[in-house]
Amino acid sequence: MFLHTHPYEPYNLEGATKLIVGTLPPPRFTTGALNDKDVDFCYGSSNGQLWPILDKIFDLGLVYENTHRAIEQRKHFLLSRKIGVCDIVASSERTKIDASDLGMQNVQLRDIFGYLEAYPNVDTLLFTGGNSKNGPEYFFRRKAKEKNVPLHILSNEVPRIHSFIWAGRTIKTVSLTAPSGAANRAVGSLALYKKMKSENPKFTTIDFRVLQYTPFF
């Protein structure tokens, strides 16, 4: 059994109004066996799509390489935009060493409600995935149930939006389509994506996410 621990502490919670909330990076980030195009930072996997999406939205000119420069580019962006990262999973066990959320067992969660109480400027949680099993919203709902915190639907269209009250304020959650290659099939099956693709054959699943993510970032 492989113990998959999160290699990064939450980032920029002090200055953040929005938090990106995911689960765990691929196991190679835990073992330190990164490849040349990985970035040793949150969402830095060369297979991941969050940074390419944000790069397109904000024209960041990011480099995708295992260097200090790449890390600093991403940190600068998050600091300048008052965005933090607080993945909800601290660790899990795996029988098969891969990045599948479904493969996580004996999951240990971070105290996200404790962070929200400690950092009162945070008003939005951006989940990198919906309520499918072992996704960030799924685990957040588990913690909310433990705290007897109800979620109120603001929009039931993808990306689904909810709100809840905690520490004397209203906080919004947005369940974005996951920025992973595994989610591309789900994107490809959406009627809206099919319509846009038929109108523009060059339209991609990343382009679709850029349109979805832009209003919330």
Side-chain angles (χ1 to χ4, degrees):
M1 192 71 78
F2 174 70
L3 179 60
H4 188 182
T5 58
H6 204 301
Y8 307 116
E9 291 297 315
Y11 182 75
N12 191 35
L13 271 60
E14 301 84 356
T17 58
K18 301 180 178 72
L19 295 184
I20 301 169
V21 182
T23 53
L24 286 169
R28 67 180 182 276
F29 283 78
T30 297
T31 62
L34 276 60
N35 66 46
D36 289 345
K37 292 188 177 181
D38 285 331
V39 179
D40 191 6
F41 187 63
C42 310
Y43 298 92
S45 170
S46 55
N47 308 113
Q49 298 176 344
L50 178 62
W51 285 111
I53 292 164
L54 295 176
D55 202 351
K56 282 190 172 236
I57 293 172
F58 294 99
D59 193 22
L60 300 176
L62 298 178
V63 294
Y64 298 87
E65 58 193 25
N66 192 355
T67 63
H68 179 72
R69 176 189 175 204
I71 295 170
E72 289 304 308
Q73 282 184 325
R74 286 151 179 80
K75 286 183 175 181
H76 174 75
F77 167 77
L78 294 172
L79 291 167
S80 67
R81 290 281 171 174
K82 297 184 178 179
I83 299 170
V85 180
C86 187
D87 289 344
I88 197 166
V89 176
S91 68
S92 72
E93 294 178 343
R94 293 185 182 276
T95 302
K96 183 180 179 183
I97 303 178
D98 62 18
S100 165
D101 280 347
L102 287 174
M104 294 190 293
Q105 304 174 43
N106 300 321
V107 177
Q108 302 299 312
L109 300 179
R110 286 174 168 161
D111 181 14
I112 193 159
F113 281 92
Y115 287 125
L116 291 175
E117 191 159 355
Y119 299 101
N121 290 328
V122 176
D123 58 28
T124 306
L125 302 180
L126 302 171
F127 297 133
T128 59
N131 194 30
S132 56
K133 186 177 179 181
N134 288 4
E137 183 190 342
Y138 173 88
F139 287 128
F140 179 80
R141 285 178 174 272
R142 180 194 293 183
K143 297 296 287 186
K145 188 174 181 180
E146 290 175 5
K147 301 284 187 182
N148 294 314
V149 176
L151 299 183
H152 305 285
I153 296 175
L154 300 181
S155 172
N156 210 23
E157 300 293 322
V158 177
R160 291 180 177 84
I161 304 172
H162 294 79
S163 70
F164 63 96
I165 295 174
W166 182 252
R169 69 190 191 277
T170 299
I171 300 171
K172 182 171 69 176
T173 71
V174 182
S175 299
L176 299 165
T177 300
S180 65
N184 284 343
R185 182 175 296 179
V187 173
S189 68
L190 294 174
L192 180 58
Y193 174 79
K194 290 178 179 178
K195 179 177 182 293
M196 291 179 166
K197 184 74 170 177
S198 68
E199 294 171 352
N200 177 12
K202 293 183 179 180
F203 190 73
T204 68
T205 55
I206 286 185
D207 293 331
F208 183 83
R209 289 181 181 84
V210 166
L211 293 176
Q212 185 189 102
Y213 283 36
T214 297
F216 304 106
F217 277 92

